[in-house]
Structures are given as structure tokens and as C-alpha cells.
Amino acid sequence: FRWAAAYIVKNQIEGDYLEFGVWKGNSFIEAYNQINNYSNTFYNVGVKATGEKNMFVDMKFHAFDSFEGLPETKNVSNPIQYFAGNYSATEELFRNRISYAGLDMDRVTVTKGWFNESLNKEVADALNLRQIAVAYIDCDIYESSVDVLNFITPYLKTGSVLIFDDWFRNKGISST
């Protein structure tokens, strides 16, 4: 998250932060803190030299999760921890943890639902999604990752950063 934050700030990559599979919020909090800390440091120096406003102070942070754990999957070769319902945590727990960590809740949205049902144009329009600066994809299973990639593709621009938490799972192969 530190490298992604440094990259988007130094290169002034506009857009929102999206996280798919937030569980209890640890990575969401880390991403928020890294982006805010790096942009504040960078712009404190830049403002003195150029007078430029911190473009990241209004960045939106979007959380997507079913809050019911992993869905059923057809892939029988998944690692042992990938069973339906694992990694469940309530939306209330997630919201409480990120609020307690000091995140500006006016900059946070939460979209609850299975990715194959909740990731659509209507949701993107409701979020006023225009461009993605960073997308953190922590779906654990192939099918969910495909849903996420189909959803985010129209909003990726030159410089957008994609982080895959589970890149090396399943022995490095897809389930197709």
C-alpha cells in the first residue's frame, strides 16, 4: 500500500480507491492511511513550493463485500481455507473498525452484496465512479475476481494501480 500510495501521489493519478473483499477492514484502513499520509507529506512540501492543493483530500474509498464470507465455488482445487462462509464478518464490525481507526466516514462508501449481483452499472453510477486510482482485489476465488475485473475495466485509466491479494493462489493457475 505504501508503494501504491507513493506512486499515485507522485504521479498525481486521479480517481478513487476501491477494495473488493474487505473482511474486517485491516487492509482498507492501511490503504486509507498510506494514501492520506503520503499525500499530506508530499503536498506539504509542494504547497510551499508551488501553492498546489492536495488533490487527494477528497478521494473516495469504496468497500465492496458480501459480509457473508466466501461464496460457493465450483473449483475443487481451491486451498483448504476457501470454503463457503469463511472470512465472514458483519458490515457493522467493518464500519466500527474503520470508524475507530479514524477514517473520514464521509469519504467512505460500502456496497454490500455478492460481486456477481452487486457489481453493475447502476452501482457505479450511484457511487459517481469515474476513474480508479487504486483497486485492491482480495476475492480469494477466481469466479469473484472475474466479476470484479469486468466491473472495474471501464474505469481504469493510464496509471491506475491494481493490487491482487491472491495472485499466487491455486498453484499459479486459473480454474478455467
Side-chain angles (χ1 to χ4, degrees):
F1 291 113
R2 183 174 53 88
W3 290 347
Y7 171 80
I8 66 168
V9 169
K10 286 183 176 181
N11 290 284
Q12 298 177 319
I13 305 299
E14 294 183 53
D16 295 337
Y17 173 85
L18 284 70
E19 185 166 324
F20 300 90
V22 297
W23 195 26
K24 297 177 182 178
N26 293 342
S27 54
F28 198 84
I29 293 165
E30 182 67 18
Y32 181 95
N33 287 336
Q34 288 293 338
I35 292 167
N36 280 331
N37 292 340
Y38 211 94
S39 67
N40 288 336
T41 299
F42 183 80
Y43 278 96
N44 282 342
V45 172
V47 166
K48 291 175 186 165
T50 66
E52 194 166 330
K53 178 185 179 278
N54 184 344
M55 65 185 279
F56 295 93
V57 296
D58 297 321
M59 183 180 208
K60 299 294 183 193
F61 291 79
H62 304 289
F64 300 85
D65 204 300
S66 69
F67 298 101
E68 296 181 39
L70 297 176
E72 291 285 341
T73 179
K74 296 176 278 194
N75 187 350
V76 295
S77 68
N78 274 333
I80 194 167
Q81 72 272 20
Y82 291 175
F83 57 87
N86 198 24
Y87 302 119
S88 66
T90 66
E91 181 180 352
E92 179 182 23
L93 174 66
F94 171 75
R95 285 182 182 275
N96 287 342
R97 292 192 77 229
I98 65 173
S99 178
Y100 182 77
L103 277 66
D104 178 353
M105 298 304 285
D106 291 335
R107 295 173 61 195
V108 173
T109 68
V110 178
T111 301
K112 183 177 180 177
W114 297 111
F115 296 154
N116 64 336
E117 298 168 359
S118 64
L119 300 181
N120 54 54
K121 179 87 168 92
E122 293 75 27
V123 167
D125 289 345
L127 297 174
N128 198 28
L129 188 59
R130 298 287 173 257
Q131 184 170 329
I132 296 171
V134 179
Y136 183 60
I137 304 165
D138 188 3
C139 304
D140 297 306
I141 61 173
Y142 175 80
E143 297 91 343
S144 297
S145 298
V146 170
D147 293 329
V148 168
L149 291 171
N150 287 332
F151 176 72
I152 67 174
T153 297
Y155 308 101
L156 298 175
K157 305 296 181 205
T158 300
S160 295
V161 176
L162 301 180
I163 304 170
F164 290 88
D165 180 69
D166 304 296
W167 188 261
F168 293 106
R169 299 287 166 90
N170 301 315
K171 300 177 182 90
I173 59 172
S174 74
S175 63
T176 59

